[in-house]
Amino acid sequence: MQRQQENGELKRTMKPRHLIMLSLGGVIGTGLFFNTGYIISTTGAAGTLLAYLIGALVVWLVMQCLGELSVAMPVTGAFHVYAARYIGPATGYTVAWLYWLTWTVALGSSFTAAGFCMQYWFPHVPVWIWSALFCVLIFSLNAVSTRFFAEGEFWFSLIKVATILVFIILGCGAIFGFIPMKNGSSAPGLVNLTREGWFPHGGLPILMTMVAVNFAFSGTELIGIAAGETENPHQAIPVAIRATIARLIVFFIGTVFVLAALIPMEVAGVEKSPFVLVFEKIGIPYAADIFNFVILTAILSAANSGLYASGRMLWSLSNEKTLPVCFARVNKNGVPLVALSASMIGGLLALLSSVIAPDTVFVALSAISGFAVVAVWLSICASHFVFRRRHIRSGKPLAGLQYRAPWYPLVPVLGFLLCLLACIGLAFDPDQRIALWCGIPFVALCYASYFLTHKTTSKETDYAAD
């Protein structure tokens, strides 16, 4: 379990504040800034609040499972390593590639989006120039050292967190009449929450949007990825998990409440960010410029986290002997440059596919990416269920686990079932059904690739909790 630490391959330089901001930075992005409008228009205000409350519950369940696993085994690669050891090596291999693809696709689309953000201020500069500059910036942040990356992500995330807090405060002021509306209309209060009825389209749209909600919460699992490079992980990880979950519930539920109360259901959508709609209603000066800057920060934060996560996944696959050893090599600062470079190339290929084949290849990659998040969460819950069961059967005391998920086996079982329900919900939504048609064959391809290229053994490694 401590192989990478003893050999000096990766360095434990992250602190709890880095872990918290890394997780928040991975979560607060386009899912919250843009997709919330789509969910409000689909499920209504009350339905959106309920969907996000269920999403918050799922995050809490998954993070409790991941917390116990990552404190007992703080290794880089996290959930794919756990899946390999407690479900099966082929499953671990598949989970790793699903997660790598998730962040690689995000990396490619992030560079294009960042270029478009800059074109808002500099319309005569081609998008590709900005995309190239941001590629260099993000790669440099990751290549210098893990601590340098973590500091960059800390400040990226801090801007987003501050914006969300200001948004919630101003929005609540406008809802209850403390801040006048720009057009002189009276404060809406809570009228928009129930104007179209509690659930205007019934309960099915809530089920259909659960993957979109879970995708909005994705990124919390980065705590597990970073566990292998964190100082005193047994102390830092529980602190980071508790702080992250508490902040996410406040930020997401608070934000959704403000959006749903200020934006009528028929106005919400995906053509314009609901945040911009609210800023326009309140009459904040330079709202478009401010929000464009925040979106740029969110995009760069996602790219920064994405390159880190995808690079560590390749390093971990190599460390587990399922990829060539070159991907596990690190420089004197403990950075896996080969794995980082390969992930950056993957991101550039995803970027290229978004330009050359946006309606075919890139659509399929994006669909698999959305499906992959929920598949990874399924593996975390299943791994935790088996881990605790084996721990109990071995006769080891539960007191030996320095972080324990409560109410076992309810927590992993309920988390697994809710994630599975979200996947089933995809089948009922024509716009998201492609995630199943692309995601399931990709999973089958990964399993086939593993069994064709690796010799499977029945040997299992028993990892004791520290």
Side-chain angles (χ1 to χ4, degrees), residues 15-233:
K15 299 182 181 297
R17 67 182 179 91
H18 295 135
L19 272 186
I20 294 168
M21 284 301 185
L22 174 62
S23 184
L24 289 177
V27 175
I28 300 174
T30 54
L32 179 62
F33 288 133
F34 287 97
N35 288 355
T36 304
Y38 156 74
I39 297 171
I40 292 173
S41 66
T42 304
T43 66
T48 301
L49 282 170
L50 179 59
Y52 271 96
L53 283 170
I54 295 172
L57 172 63
V58 175
V59 169
W60 183 83
L61 293 168
V62 172
M63 291 303 290
Q64 292 305 310
C65 297
L66 182 60
E68 183 171 316
L69 289 166
S70 56
V71 169
M73 296 167 287
V75 293
T76 299
F79 28 83
H80 104 81
V81 177
Y82 310 145
R85 291 170 187 172
Y86 296 106
I87 303 174
T91 301
Y93 178 83
T94 300
V95 165
W97 282 114
L98 280 168
Y99 201 66
W100 182 84
L101 185 65
T102 295
W103 284 109
T104 303
V105 172
L107 194 62
S109 57
S110 292
F111 292 135
T112 302
F116 281 121
C117 279
M118 292 303 296
Q119 207 170 43
Y120 175 81
W121 291 305
F122 305 98
H124 302 298
V125 179
V127 171
W128 72 265
I129 292 179
W130 294 115
S131 297
L133 287 173
F134 289 132
C135 283
V136 173
L137 171 65
I138 296 302
F139 188 81
S140 300
L141 284 174
N142 277 267
V144 174
S145 69
T146 301
R147 183 66 177 270
F148 195 66
F149 151 78
E151 284 295 336
E153 185 58 28
F154 177 85
W155 292 105
F156 278 145
S157 300
L158 190 62
I159 293 172
K160 292 190 290 186
V161 168
T163 302
I164 294 294
L165 287 174
V166 170
F167 174 81
I168 292 173
I169 293 170
L170 292 177
C172 287
I175 290 169
F176 298 109
F178 298 109
I179 297 176
M181 304 296 283
K182 183 180 180 181
N183 58 7
S185 60
S186 58
L190 305 180
V191 173
N192 286 328
L193 293 178
T194 56
R195 180 193 300 181
E196 303 295 331
W198 286 99
F199 305 108
H201 301 304
L204 184 59
I206 298 174
L207 174 63
M208 290 163 50
T209 57
M210 280 314 302
V211 166
V213 171
N214 288 341
F215 186 75
F217 278 113
S218 66
T220 50
E221 69 285 336
L222 283 170
I223 287 177
I225 295 288
E229 297 175 88
T230 303
E231 294 177 359
N232 302 315

Side-chain angles (χ1 to χ4, degrees), residues 119-445:
Q119 207 170 43
Y120 175 81
W121 291 305
F122 305 98
H124 302 298
V125 179
V127 171
W128 72 265
I129 292 179
W130 294 115
S131 297
L133 287 173
F134 289 132
C135 283
V136 173
L137 171 65
I138 296 302
F139 188 81
S140 300
L141 284 174
N142 277 267
V144 174
S145 69
T146 301
R147 183 66 177 270
F148 195 66
F149 151 78
E151 284 295 336
E153 185 58 28
F154 177 85
W155 292 105
F156 278 145
S157 300
L158 190 62
I159 293 172
K160 292 190 290 186
V161 168
T163 302
I164 294 294
L165 287 174
V166 170
F167 174 81
I168 292 173
I169 293 170
L170 292 177
C172 287
I175 290 169
F176 298 109
F178 298 109
I179 297 176
M181 304 296 283
K182 183 180 180 181
N183 58 7
S185 60
S186 58
L190 305 180
V191 173
N192 286 328
L193 293 178
T194 56
R195 180 193 300 181
E196 303 295 331
W198 286 99
F199 305 108
H201 301 304
L204 184 59
I206 298 174
L207 174 63
M208 290 163 50
T209 57
M210 280 314 302
V211 166
V213 171
N214 288 341
F215 186 75
F217 278 113
S218 66
T220 50
E221 69 285 336
L222 283 170
I223 287 177
I225 295 288
E229 297 175 88
T230 303
E231 294 177 359
N232 302 315
H234 300 121
Q235 298 175 3
I237 292 172
V239 170
I241 286 176
R242 294 188 190 102
T244 299
I245 292 174
R247 285 164 173 77
L248 281 179
I249 291 173
V250 171
F251 293 160
F252 271 75
I253 302 304
T255 298
V256 170
F257 171 77
V258 169
L259 292 174
L262 287 177
I263 303 176
M265 179 181 172
E266 64 274 10
V267 176
V270 293
E271 287 77 15
K272 182 183 284 190
S273 168
F275 281 74
V276 173
L277 289 174
V278 170
F279 279 139
E280 289 175 350
K281 282 178 174 289
I282 299 175
I284 301 296
Y286 304 105
D289 292 276
I290 294 170
F291 194 72
N292 194 60
F293 175 72
V294 174
I295 287 293
L296 176 63
T297 305
I299 290 167
L300 293 178
S301 173
N304 198 35
S305 299
L307 183 58
Y308 172 83
S310 54
R312 268 30 176 209
M313 270 297 160
L314 291 186
W315 179 92
S316 184
L317 280 169
S318 180
N319 195 50
E320 295 293 312
K321 313 301 183 189
T322 52
L323 274 185
V325 69
C326 63
F327 291 100
R329 291 174 186 160
V330 298
N331 63 14
K332 63 180 180 180
N333 293 324
V335 176
L337 279 178
V338 175
L340 273 181
S341 300
S343 294
M344 177 59 84
I345 292 171
L348 293 176
L349 290 175
L351 172 61
L352 192 63
S353 75
S354 71
V355 176
I356 297 175
D359 298 323
T360 53
V361 177
F362 189 71
V363 167
L365 290 176
S366 299
I368 296 170
S369 176
F371 171 81
V373 172
V374 183
V376 167
W377 287 8
L378 281 166
S379 76
I380 291 172
C381 295
S383 298
H384 173 251
F385 179 83
V386 178
F387 167 77
R388 175 74 78 89
R389 199 165 147 190
R390 289 188 187 177
H391 185 88
I392 294 171
R393 284 183 176 178
S394 67
K396 297 171 185 174
L398 286 178
L401 297 173
Q402 295 184 327
Y403 184 93
R404 293 194 300 276
W407 307 317
Y408 178 89
L410 177 62
V411 164
V413 170
L414 183 58
F416 185 91
L417 291 177
L418 287 175
C419 289
L420 185 61
L421 189 64
C423 290
I424 294 172
L426 288 173
F428 294 93
D429 188 349
D431 295 329
Q432 299 187 82
R433 201 173 291 153
I434 187 176
L436 289 180
W437 304 152
C438 295
I440 293 175
F442 182 80
V443 169
L445 180 65

